[in-house]
Amino acid sequence: MEEHGKPGQGIGARVKRKEDSRHLHGRGQYVSDMVIPGQLEVAFLRSPIAHGRIRAIQKPAGSEGAVFVRADMPEAKSIISTSSIPSYRVSAQPPLAEGKVRFVGEAMAMCVAKTRAEAEDLAERIVLDIEELPPLVESMAALREKNVRVHEEWEDNVFVTLSVDNDFDRLSKQATVVVKREVELSRQAMVPMEGKAVVAHWDERTDQLVMYYSTQTPHVVRTGIAQFLGLSEGQVRIIAPDVGGGFGYKVIVHPEELSVAWLAWKFRKPFRWIEDRREHLVSGANARQHKYQLTGYADDKGRLLALDAEITIDGGAYSNWPFTIGLEPGQAIGNLPGPYDFRGYRCTTRCVATNKPGFMPYRGVARTGVCFAMELLMEGIARAVDRDPYDVRMDNLVRPEQMPYDNVMKKHYDSGDYPQALTTAREKLGIEAWRARQEKGEADGRKIGIGFASYCEQSAHGTSVFASWGLPLVPGFDQAAVKMTPDGGLEVRVGIHSHGQGMETTLAQMAHEILGIDVSRIHVTHGDTGTTPYSTGTYASRSIVMAGGATANACRELVPRIVKIGAHLLGCKESEARFEKGVGVIAPDGKQMSLKSICEAWYLRPDKAPLDVDRRGLECSVSYKPERDSGAFSYASHAVAVAVDTDTGQVEILDYVIVEDCGTVVNPMVVEGQTIGGIAQGIGTAMYEEIEYDVNGQPNASTLADYTLPGPTEVPHMRIFHMETPSPYTEFGIKGMGEGGAIAPPAAIFNAVNDALRSTGVEVNRTPLTPHRLLEAIERARSGTLPKREAA
């Protein structure tokens, strides 16, 4: 890694993660660690077919009170996510299947027993009678289908259609070069280390449904659970303990979680359900599946003038709550232009219903797909005009002197130097040496390729953006509550949730930046709706901007109160005293009063405090959102060198360089950790991960023996270089970056492979790039059975 970081413990310092002490020693507390006396375990019977009408579900003899179907739980409402988008169609997802099953793995019955094994045994004894219906497995076929409906009340199988046309006809006519590309991403599961998990019980003392819940959005899911059970929100408390990864999978209310909540509310007993890996792969295959048909209109130098696009997204069977199926197509149509400067844009995006699990937000929401599509198109334009792809990109990137820049979709790029990031990535990769090696050839016959990809990421976007997407729940202000302790420490409470990002450390650094209290003495609490202020949670690379901004402002609000008490203790006027970070209050003569002494005066010896002391004390809750809530745009350029074996179809990543800019860096080590993890996921998207379905809608990958994840030998050593262009709108100029690493790898790797195979005429265009798929592309190109650029 590039040596990057400031001394001390504040913003910019490489402070070791506070949470690592418990995680590295096995002392973390996850839902699986929660055991409540009398707790029963839950297992679900899941649909064995993709599409069918339920005739009957026959419970085992003697299973009264242990097996539940939809008819047994009328109090639990179906999960319905509405939208103000005119073309949006509502899909009601019952907590247990009702009337029809719509994908393999849909929960049909719920079984409870003392152990999970006994509950699963009960599930195996249930007899199903299902009339099979034709499954809609592929989005383009579902789009064309006239008779079969995933939701019979709809006119067709389209969830939502979005369209835009910005000066396309005029500008496309000026083009001298027209380039077409079709690209496709396969369906993926998100595969956090910990799947969905929930323990629910009824607390008679507080008259509350209490749920230990593996979630990224505790306050949001409380709203959903209350709404779908008909409870007041005060009757629901969500506690998110340590969460073993989320990636977007844990931002919504899932039907299983609602079902377990109903059990606890109905029977006043504790119940637990832990998703196993097979359940996750079958019912959680719900991300990334996009198809793009692109036509780029450029001048003879490759300067893009206009873009025509059709995007088809396989949305599965149901729209999730609260982010809806509209989030993915909205992000796709809005973010396809990426970091490029052009003014003609026509795009139609359709999200199509199929007999698969419902689509959910996944790290980078749509931006991995749009980056993949746009960067492969840029390579195609470079080939068409016979120029280096680097030069074509440089001509098309938004320039720093254009910032702030409103792009063709009116997205407001707040700051940055996109060309510098690409130039630095090229230099750090050492392009000349790689080109020389490529020209010379490898002794083992493999072909060398070099690929680039650039993107920008809208982070921490707020009210104006989410409201325009028609969501039923829109983020606004985030809050932070801070409280000095009697011994001079600090407690910070926030409503977001950290599930791997290191927020307990970075938020402590934000507080330290204002008050100077040692990070070890700053305690951050999150994830409990009973003790933390409201936030919509952790998603969209928003938490460090929103919760961090609120934390900093709350700490600032304490400073005058600290000075008032300190000045009185020092015997000087308040106007003469000054606050010194990490020290306390200093009088004109240099005498000091420590934070500990000031806190003791407020909490333990109020007789020493001034009579006119600020009665709000040494704690406060402050809300925050950026000056402009359209988002702070992070960005990066990735550069990769690969070796391609045309005999085996194997691709080896030889070098990987990232040049990223997330504004002011709070903790470079945390940023690098997030980037490395994201790139590992991006490599999975590019080369390994896929849930394929057969013609009957059966998933072909239901175990980790079939669903391939990249491991240590597949993730290369990578070199990360930081740029810092502060946002003009956020506290300290910080931008979010939690999703960025996952966005560019598929595009960069595919461009590198296509560069390696340029002499063969092959262009691969569909993820994942497995050896079989690569060899098939090479063979088809050799035989001439397909146009070479469409051979994959």
Side-chain angles (χ1 to χ4, degrees), residues 20-28:
D20 284 352
S21 175
R22 67 179 185 273
H23 292 315
L24 294 176
H25 290 90
R27 295 196 294 263

Side-chain angles (χ1 to χ4, degrees), residues 9 509-519 522 579-583 595:
Q9 296 183 332
Q509 288 182 255
M510 297 281 278
H512 173 88
E513 186 72 21
I514 304 301
L515 298 176
I517 298 171
D518 193 278
V519 164
I522 300 174
F579 177 75
E580 181 74 22
K581 292 195 304 183
V583 175
L595 286 175

Side-chain angles (χ1 to χ4, degrees), residues 168 293-297 306-310 336 344-348:
F168 173 78
Q293 294 175 298
L294 304 178
T295 305
Y297 295 81
L307 174 65
D308 192 13
E310 288 192 14
L336 181 60
Y345 185 43
R346 182 171 68 188
C347 182
T348 297

